[in-house]
Structures are given as structure tokens and as C-alpha cells.
Amino acid sequence: HRVDRRQRQMCIRDRLYVGFGVALAIMAVLSVVAFNSITSLRQTADQVEHTWKVLESVSNIESSLKDAETGQRGFVITGEDRYLEPYNAALEAVHAQITVFRDLTLDNSIQTERADSLSPLVDDKFAELLETIDLRRDETFEAARDVVLTDAGKQIMDDIRVLLDAMDDEERSLLVVRDDDADQAASSAKNVIIWGTVG
């Protein structure tokens, strides 16, 4: 009887060891899966945040160009230098904003090419704005107006907008994909936590 009891105790102990080992193995697997899910969630969240920064940089470029046009228009109409404040601020800011965009999209050759195409167009736009400003200051309102009426500046701005729209569309397409990836990563992490808790 003592031998039987000892064998039963050993059998129970072995089963406990096996059960404990299985539980540890399951916990280890869940830990690895949870770590991978959380890492993936963090990476996709970073990508989404990065895309929003790129979109913000595109918006800043467009806003600066609009400010420049507003300043030029106000000066041409009034002849008063105070109206040039938005123009001067935009002149200082816009190339820095293009550099920000380029730095944020170094991993995207298409966006880099667009940034390279944008810079000379922006230079042309500011040259056109400066021409009308100088004509208004040194000659007459009519002389500046005649340059505006050639629509040369409008054509340059239209070309700039085509590029900015393409830059924006590219990032919004990426944002859709990255938002979906972030949702999937969040769902995976949630499921792992739930199953781990249940287990």
C-alpha cells in the first residue's frame, strides 16, 4: 500500500510539473506575441504621426505662398509697406518649410522629386511677386497691375498647386494604409491581452 501511495504521489507530482511547464510555455508564447503586437502598434502609430507631420508641412508651404500673395496684393493696391509683412514672413519661411518636407520624405523618392521640382517654381513665384512690388514702388499702380494681368503669376501658382496636391494626395493614401495597420495592430494587442487574461 505504501508503494502504491508513493507511486500515486509521484504520478500526481509529475502531472503537476507537466501542467506547470505547459502553463509556463503558454505564458512565454503569450508574452512574445504580446511584445510583438505592442511593438507593431507603436511602429504603426509612429508612422501615422509621421504622415500627419508631412501633411502639415505641405499645408504650411501652401499657407506661406497664400500669405505672400496677400501681402503683394495689399501693397500693389495701397502702396503702403506695412502690407508687405505677410510677404516678407513667407519669403523667409517657405524654403525652410520645403526643406522640412524633403527631410520628412527622404525614404520616398517620388516625394523628393516633387520637392526638387517645387523649389524653382517657388523661386519663380517670388520673383514675379517682387517684380510687381518693385513696379508699384518705383513706377505706378498701373504698371504693376499690367504684369498681374498677364496671368504669368497665376500660371506659376497653378503649377505649384498641382505639385502640392500630388504631395498631399500621396501622404493621404499612405495615411489610409497606416491607419488600417494601426487598427489591426491595436486589435491584435487587445486580443492577446484578453486571451492572456482569460488563460
Side-chain angles (χ1 to χ4, degrees):
H1 293 295
R2 288 180 181 178
V3 173
D4 290 342
R5 187 181 305 126
R6 186 176 302 166
Q7 287 178 341
R8 284 198 299 271
Q9 288 174 346
M10 291 178 63
C11 183
I12 293 171
R13 185 181 62 190
D14 290 344
R15 289 176 181 175
L16 287 173
Y17 284 156
V18 170
F20 186 67
V22 170
L24 281 178
I26 292 172
M27 287 177 63
V29 170
L30 286 173
S31 296
V32 171
V33 173
F35 177 80
N36 290 337
S37 296
I38 292 170
T39 300
S40 176
L41 177 59
R42 184 179 300 134
Q43 289 173 343
T44 53
D46 288 345
Q47 289 176 336
V48 169
E49 182 181 1
H50 178 271
T51 306
W52 278 114
K53 286 180 180 178
V54 178
L55 287 169
E56 182 182 16
S57 72
V58 175
S59 177
N60 288 340
I61 294 167
E62 185 173 14
S63 179
S64 287
L65 291 168
K66 287 179 180 177
D67 288 346
E69 286 188 319
T70 298
Q72 173 247 19
R73 191 178 302 116
F75 178 77
V76 167
I77 293 171
T78 66
E80 296 187 15
D81 283 340
R82 62 192 175 92
Y83 282 92
L84 287 176
E85 290 178 5
Y87 167 87
N88 291 328
L91 183 61
E92 292 182 7
V94 70
H95 279 294
Q97 292 162 347
I98 293 173
T99 298
V100 169
F101 174 85
R102 184 182 285 110
D103 289 345
L104 288 170
T105 57
L106 286 175
D107 60 338
N108 188 327
S109 60
I110 295 175
Q111 293 288 56
T112 301
E113 289 174 7
R114 287 173 180 147
D116 291 340
S117 299
L118 180 63
S119 290
L121 284 174
V122 168
D123 288 338
D124 290 344
K125 180 60 183 175
F126 275 97
E128 178 265 331
L129 293 175
L130 181 59
E131 180 185 6
T132 59
I133 290 168
D134 287 343
L135 285 170
R136 179 65 174 91
R137 178 179 286 120
D138 300 334
E139 297 184 24
T140 62
F141 165 79
E142 287 76 16
R145 181 197 60 192
D146 289 345
V147 171
V148 173
L149 290 175
T150 64
D151 282 346
K154 179 181 181 302
Q155 182 57 57
I156 296 170
M157 196 63 196
D158 287 345
D159 292 341
I160 288 173
R161 285 197 178 95
V162 168
L163 271 176
L164 291 176
D165 287 346
M167 291 154 70
D168 188 90
D169 289 345
E170 174 93 6
E171 295 304 317
R172 292 193 183 279
S173 295
L174 286 172
L175 187 63
V176 170
V177 173
R178 289 171 177 175
D179 272 337
D180 287 343
D181 289 344
D183 288 342
Q184 291 177 10
S187 178
S188 295
K190 180 181 177 181
N191 289 337
V192 169
I193 292 170
I194 290 173
W195 283 108
T197 302
V198 171

